[in-house]
Amino acid sequence: MMCRRTDDLLIAVPRGGVPVAERPADARRSAVLPLCYGPWPGSQAALSLADEPLPAVLLLVNEAGGEAMLVAGADVRVLPGPASNDTLAALAENEAASLLRRRARVNQWAQLPERLLAFYEALLNAVSAAEVCLVVAEHAARIVSGYGAFVFLPEGAQVLRLASAGSAAKGGAAIAVPWHSRFARAGLLMAPDLWSGDDAFRALARVVASPQVATLAHVPFGDGGVLLLSERREERVFRADDWLLLGSLAAHGTAALRRVRQMEETRGLALTDPLTGLANRRHLDAVLQHAWAAAQRGEPLALILLDLDGFKAVNDCFGHTAGDQVLRSVGECLRRETRGADVVARYGGDEFMVVLPHGNAEAAAALAARVRARLPEGVRFSAGVACYEPGMLSADELIGAADHALYLAKLEREHGGGAGALV
């Protein structure tokens, strides 16, 4: 007798006979193994393997070619004859596939507690919405068993944008897909759906970027988003416990997403002036510490301290509502004219400060001029500029230099008579 072996299936046939279920070399690894003969129930010969690991499925065909014995794990079955080699091979391969699915299922559930604990721990450690989406995408494919996972979050009323994809998945963060009503509930998209005429599904087909994807399972995620799990196995059946797991992962991810967004909102409130939306003193102090450290390493640093001229008269004559509107308009002008690296803060009352990392006196003066040109008619301010110089001992000394320059600018305005009214 001779045999053919794969990773999952060993087929033995009569010596000199035609091998069962012959496949191309690139599809099935085969080798001739040493065989020993012994008692075979109901036949003239038998086969055993010497010092060989037990394969997933062992198909033994007796020398007469009419009977076969199928060994799959602890399950031993005699396949009744007469049967052709092709029939026996088909039975063996079906049994091998079934056994592997059962084993994968058992392994999945055996590893589930450990994987869920890792998922929950990663969610607790996530501190941003991007990190939450990455955790959900990475763990969903492992826990529910899939090729890859994607998280889409809403961007506007009718558009979803890719927030994160698992490491086995492909797709860029700039990918957006139109919203579809099917995303509002759990469901399954088949491969033909992805190449249909629907814009949303065609966009998803570009995300998964693989013709081998057979299905996409989807469940709602976040507030209007969707979690997708891609599957390449055409025979994969999503069972009730798969949907339960996928929905549970999405629910816990949604809770974590809301938590980090609340944290970000709270953090923003703690560092933002509520009237103007600019950085407050606490935020400014933190920025100055980093900028000061960089300046001591040789990087340029400039400050602008601005003070509105005649602002008290606005409050006295027109009320605090009008004064608040002036403060907001000045803050908006400063925000629009600064660079991405610059930080604008409400320093107090009617004073504003701009920190210009890598800035100099010329850049600071140009910024002040642009803001003056953009302000509403009648709104005026005085500005003092200071730059870091070697020998300065602290950021407070730099602020003091800007404050002194502001004082001189106000004196010049008063003596020149150019202050005027704000409104």
Side-chain angles (χ1 to χ4, degrees):
M1 298 182 71
M2 68 181 301
C3 71
R4 300 279 169 162
R5 183 191 177 104
T6 73
D7 291 337
D8 306 315
L9 177 64
L10 178 68
I11 303 176
V13 298
R15 187 181 300 276
V18 179
V20 178
E22 185 70 51
R23 286 188 180 181
D26 60 348
R28 163 173 292 184
R29 186 184 66 188
S30 62
V32 176
L33 301 178
L35 305 178
C36 303
Y37 292 89
W40 176 301
S43 66
Q44 299 177 357
L47 170 68
S48 64
L49 295 178
D51 301 324
E52 282 293 322
L54 183 66
V57 174
L58 178 65
L59 176 64
L60 302 179
V61 183
N62 78 352
E63 291 183 348
E67 289 182 331
M69 180 180 293
L70 188 64
V71 182
D75 183 21
V76 179
R77 288 195 295 139
V78 175
L79 304 180
S84 66
N85 284 348
D86 290 339
T87 301
L88 294 174
L91 289 172
E93 292 200 2
N94 288 337
E95 188 68 21
S98 177
L99 177 66
L100 290 177
R101 285 195 296 268
R102 293 196 299 270
R103 285 184 176 178
R105 200 75 183 170
V106 170
N107 290 336
Q108 177 186 356
W109 283 100
Q111 298 172 4
L112 182 60
E114 182 179 349
R115 289 179 174 178
L116 285 176
L117 285 175
F119 170 68
Y120 297 141
E121 182 178 359
L123 272 187
L124 287 175
N125 292 329
V127 295
S128 68
E131 288 185 17
V132 169
C133 293
L134 179 60
V135 168
V136 173
E138 288 285 359
H139 287 260
R142 288 196 291 267
I143 293 174
V144 190
S145 181
Y147 176 69
F150 307 82
V151 171
F152 282 82
L153 294 179
E155 182 183 74
Q158 297 296 322
V159 176
L160 298 175
R161 186 166 295 278
L162 182 64
S164 192
S167 58
K170 296 180 180 180
I175 294 177
V177 301
W179 164 258
H180 196 282
S181 59
R182 290 181 64 171
F183 298 150
R185 61 186 185 276
L188 202 63
L189 292 172
M190 310 304 292
D193 295 329
L194 299 178
W195 305 102
S196 67
D198 192 283
D199 292 339
F201 300 156
R202 286 204 311 272
L204 283 178
R206 293 194 298 271
V207 175
V208 297
S210 172
Q212 295 179 349
V213 170
T215 54
L216 275 177
H218 58 85
V219 294
F221 179 83
D223 298 318
V226 63
L227 167 62
L228 296 163
L229 182 76
S230 64
E231 177 56 71
R232 285 185 167 185
R233 295 168 293 180
E234 294 182 358
E235 72 276 7
R236 167 73 181 273
V237 175
F238 282 86
R239 304 172 185 269
D241 48 14
D242 290 324
W243 291 110
L244 183 62
L245 275 175
L246 202 57
S248 179
L249 296 180
H252 283 87
T254 297
L257 190 63
R258 291 170 179 167
R259 171 181 59 81
V260 298
R261 283 176 171 171
Q262 289 175 351
M263 290 174 57
E264 291 172 352
E265 183 179 352
T266 302
R267 190 182 302 116
L269 291 174
L271 300 176
T272 304
D273 173 59
L275 177 63
T276 61
L278 302 176
N280 60 14
R281 287 291 294 270
R282 178 182 296 180
H283 190 183
L284 177 65
D285 290 342
V287 169
L288 275 175
Q289 287 180 6
H290 290 287
W292 180 260
Q296 289 182 311
R297 295 193 298 269
E299 297 183 8
L301 173 62
L303 287 185
I304 308 176
L305 188 59
L306 298 90
D307 182 81
L308 299 185
D309 298 326
F311 181 72
K312 184 176 182 301
V314 176
N315 284 333
D316 293 343
C317 297
F318 302 100
H320 289 280
T321 301
D324 290 347
Q325 183 57 43
V326 170
L327 293 173
R328 280 192 290 265
S329 64
V330 173
E332 181 60 25
C333 289
L334 286 168
R335 184 186 294 108
R336 290 182 179 180
E337 294 301 329
T338 50
R339 303 170 304 172
D342 302 336
V343 176
V344 184
R346 186 180 178 190
Y347 192 61
D350 59 343
E351 289 185 322
F352 298 85
M353 181 177 288
V354 184
V355 182
L356 294 86
H358 309 288
N360 53 32
E362 291 76 14
L367 172 59
R370 293 197 305 270
V371 174
R372 279 197 177 95
R374 183 179 285 274
L375 284 175
E377 184 178 357
V379 178
R380 300 287 186 268
F381 65 83
S382 299
V385 174
C387 297
Y388 172 81
E389 296 179 2
M392 286 185 170
L393 300 179
S394 68
D396 289 338
E397 188 174 348
L398 180 62
I399 294 174
D403 191 42
H404 181 69
L406 173 62
Y407 171 74
L408 296 179
K410 278 192 170 292
L411 283 180
E412 183 179 351
R413 272 187 173 276
E414 291 173 1
H415 292 161
L422 282 167
V423 291

